[in-house]
Amino acid sequence: MKRAYKRTYYRSRSTLISLLLLMPAFSLLLTGCAAGPDYAKPFLEIPDQWIASPTDNKRIQASEKEPAGLAQWWSGFNDPVLSSLISRGIASNLDIATAVQRVRQSRAAASGANSGFWPSLDASASYRKSGTRLPSGSSETPAGATGSVSETRSLYQAGFDASWELDVFGSQRRGAEAAEAELQASQEDLHNALVTLSGDIGMNYINLRGLQEQLRITKENLKIQERSAQITRKRHEAGFASALDTAKAEAQLASTRAQIPSQESDIRKTIYAISLLLGQEPSGLITELEPYKPLPSWPDTIQTGLPSQLLERRPDIRAAEARLHAATARIGAAQADLFPRFFLNGSSGIQAAKLVSWSDSVTRLWSLGPSMSWNIFSGGATRARIEENKAIAEQALIDLRKTILVSLMEVESAWTAFDKEVERSISLSIAQENSHRAVELSEKLYSEGQSDFMTVLDAQRSLYVTEEAYALSRSRTAVHLISLYKALGGGW
């Protein structure tokens, strides 16, 4: 009988193991049914062309080809320092590090959601000791025993419990689908952080070189005004100029000199901002960036592609669509709670009164069978969750449409700003050349006594204002170009 019992036990245990191994195959037979809507890309109305026609502007061109060099737009400025700063920023920026960890978090969540497709197996072991004390004279007291009798028992148990949910109505599949979509959204958020970082470093770098150019212009004008003030003093000493001319020359000189400290302060603050973007202390880049360098040049022609290409290139649009996908999948996960849940359960174990000689006293246990649970009534909570997830999906769709509109607006605005600033720079360049000539002529006429000193002051003041405006315009032109690159989704 003992051998027959063992054969029955081992046969039952092998049947249990075989069924558990076949569970994943059973799940494949049930994947055709999943509650809730299947995700489909929404219809998004996108214009065929930009508002600024490509034929109206030779500087900016749009075509069906993917814009060349957009992923690393900074290489078009031909500035090794700018390229180095962006490379170091990508490696050490704290926002990028945070985005990377969010991707890691989402990947772990997606892995956890996919684990629901597999059976769970738990192992357990226990030891319990119990005792019974019989009073004297009890009918259960052994014959011949006097006084109370104590009896103790020991019980050792060990076994395995397995459970697997048959995903009949797709609750697990919809949850895994939502988790995968959230993972994609977090990856696109990382790409968007790269776009933002490269653009911020580029803009701050251009602002830095623009401020340094303005400081250079201030110092150059200071030299011109010092020369004029010296001429005025000599003429005053010779009796050819009044004290009023000398006072005006000294006043303008002091006014120009007063611009230098604030410009130097702005330069330092911009360096500090770049250091923060690179994850460094404020003083980390002073030695490298404080020496003067001219504004970098930019390409003569910029390729933009078509508006429809923004859907595939801008990471914030891709992230918004991934979140719409996740929200749609969660509707199905919530709807699956309206239906019953089916499980296959199995267990196998042994128990014995002694820890040794198990073959003599062991009892073997096993069980195998399906189970079902169905939340028939929950006070409307399940349908409320369904409606909640539907509303979340509608919000995600609205957010996607808004993100697309914002992206179109950003491209058009940056395009227009860049184009118009280029035109302004051309005019200021001509004005700057004429201002230089006016200063030279006014100083010559004044030294010859053919004009008053006010003419010199006006010419010098006009030159300073024009040169500063031209430097600022060139800086703004480069910043608007970087804004255009960001709006097009460049930088990753």
Side-chain angles (χ1 to χ4, degrees):
M1 289 297 295
K2 179 180 285 190
R3 291 181 179 178
Y5 179 83
K6 287 185 176 181
R7 284 197 297 271
T8 302
Y9 167 73
Y10 289 123
R11 189 182 301 114
S12 302
R13 186 174 62 177
S14 64
T15 301
L16 172 62
I17 295 174
S18 300
L19 287 173
L20 291 176
L21 293 175
L22 288 174
M23 284 179 178
F26 295 159
S27 65
L28 296 176
L29 301 176
L30 301 171
T31 55
C33 175
D38 293 327
Y39 176 74
K41 285 181 174 290
F43 174 75
L44 301 169
E45 191 172 349
I46 303 294
D48 296 330
Q49 295 289 339
W50 303 108
I51 296 176
S53 173
T55 58
D56 296 339
N57 190 339
K58 294 182 180 180
R59 288 183 292 272
I60 304 177
Q61 298 178 358
S63 64
E64 294 182 359
K65 295 182 179 180
E66 183 71 16
L70 190 58
Q72 292 186 338
W73 52 261
W74 49 88
S75 60
F77 285 85
N78 297 314
D79 190 315
V81 177
L82 173 60
S83 299
S84 174
L85 290 173
I86 292 178
S87 297
R88 284 180 281 167
I90 292 173
S92 59
N93 178 263
L94 299 181
D95 291 333
I96 298 297
T98 300
V100 168
Q101 294 306 315
R102 285 174 180 156
V103 171
R104 179 185 173 192
Q105 175 187 350
S106 298
R107 184 175 289 113
S111 178
N114 286 318
S115 66
F117 293 114
W118 297 90
S120 63
L121 180 65
D122 299 320
S124 62
S126 66
Y127 165 71
R128 185 171 71 251
K129 187 173 184 179
S130 60
T132 304
R133 186 179 182 84
L134 301 178
S136 58
S138 171
S139 59
E140 299 180 3
T141 303
T146 61
S148 60
V149 177
S150 297
E151 182 179 353
T152 60
R153 299 181 182 87
S154 296
L155 182 64
Y156 298 87
Q157 291 182 318
F160 297 91
D161 292 300
S163 179
W164 179 60
E165 180 178 358
L166 304 175
D167 194 24
V168 177
F169 297 103
S171 176
Q172 298 284 353
R173 275 166 285 156
R174 292 304 190 194
E177 181 183 353
E180 290 291 341
E182 287 290 353
L183 171 58
Q184 182 183 352
S186 66
Q187 290 171 335
E188 298 302 338
D189 287 340
L190 172 58
H191 298 155
N192 195 44
L194 292 172
V195 171
T196 301
L197 174 66
S198 61
D200 288 348
I201 292 176
M203 290 179 181
N204 277 279
Y205 181 77
I206 294 298
N207 287 332
L208 171 64
R209 297 311 182 194
L211 289 169
Q212 289 177 336
E213 180 67 15
Q214 292 178 47
L215 178 61
R216 184 194 67 80
I217 291 170
T218 301
K219 291 181 177 180
E220 289 294 327
N221 277 271
L222 190 63
K223 293 178 181 178
I224 295 173
Q225 293 169 13
E226 285 176 345
R227 185 173 67 247
S228 297
Q230 185 178 7
I231 293 173
T232 305
R233 285 193 294 269
K234 288 181 178 180
R235 286 176 58 84
H236 175 62
E237 292 171 358
F240 295 109
S242 66
L244 178 61
D245 288 345
T246 305
K248 287 180 178 180
E250 295 292 344
Q252 178 164 288
L253 185 63
S255 177
T256 303
R257 189 179 289 114
Q259 303 296 321
I260 294 177
S262 61
Q263 291 174 340
E264 291 176 338
S265 174
D266 291 339
I267 288 172
R268 276 295 180 94
K269 287 189 291 186
T270 307
I271 293 176
Y272 297 159
I274 297 175
S275 299
L276 177 61
L277 291 172
L278 268 63
Q280 298 186 19
E281 296 179 357
S283 60
L285 298 175
I286 291 178
T287 303
E288 178 182 0
L289 297 181
E290 198 164 45
Y292 168 82
K293 281 195 67 174
L295 276 168
S297 59
W298 48 84
D300 296 329
T301 304
I302 294 91
Q303 300 288 338
T304 64
L306 298 178
S308 58
Q309 293 174 319
L310 287 181
L311 300 181
E312 296 298 327
R313 191 166 58 239
R314 277 193 53 140
D316 56 343
I317 296 178
R318 293 156 60 105
E321 185 178 353
R323 289 191 170 91
L324 173 60
H325 187 173
T328 304
R330 289 195 185 95
I331 296 175
Q335 288 181 343
D337 291 339
L338 293 172
F339 304 99
R341 302 173 65 184
F342 299 94
F343 301 86
L344 281 179
N345 304 302
S347 64
S348 175
I350 54 177
Q351 64 180 24
K354 295 180 180 180
L355 191 59
V356 295
S357 302
W358 283 54
S359 59
D360 298 329
S361 59
V362 69
T363 301
R364 295 173 174 84
L365 306 172
W366 66 271
S367 67
L368 176 66
S371 65
M372 183 270 286
S373 66
W374 193 356
N375 186 2
I376 298 176
F377 179 75
S378 61
T382 301
R383 294 195 178 275
R385 284 195 301 272
I386 294 172
E387 291 302 316
E388 177 185 2
N389 282 281
K390 286 181 178 180
I392 293 174
E394 287 296 328
Q395 294 173 43
L397 178 59
I398 294 170
D399 182 63
L400 173 59
R401 289 172 175 165
K402 179 182 177 181
T403 303
I404 292 173
L405 291 178
V406 170
S407 70
L408 293 172
M409 181 271 294
E410 289 177 348
V411 173
E412 297 285 3
S413 298
W415 183 327
T416 301
F418 171 75
D419 188 36
K420 299 305 179 184
E421 198 64 48
V422 169
E423 295 179 5
R424 183 168 179 265
S425 293
I426 294 173
S427 298
L428 287 171
S429 177
I430 297 172
Q432 179 181 247
E433 293 177 2
N434 290 323
S435 295
H436 274 288
R437 290 178 56 197
V439 169
E440 292 173 0
L441 291 173
S442 64
E443 288 179 345
K444 181 179 179 181
L445 292 173
Y446 176 69
S447 62
E448 295 174 354
Q450 299 182 36
S451 67
D452 59 8
F453 189 67
M454 282 301 300
T455 304
V456 177
L457 289 179
D458 289 341
Q460 290 177 347
R461 190 180 299 112
S462 177
L463 173 63
Y464 179 57
V465 171
T466 304
E467 284 189 325
E468 191 175 41
Y470 178 60
L472 181 60
S473 179
R474 292 188 69 245
S475 175
R476 285 178 175 174
T477 302
V479 168
H480 291 322
L481 177 56
I482 295 175
S483 296
L484 179 59
Y485 284 137
K486 282 183 60 179
L488 292 170
W492 69 281

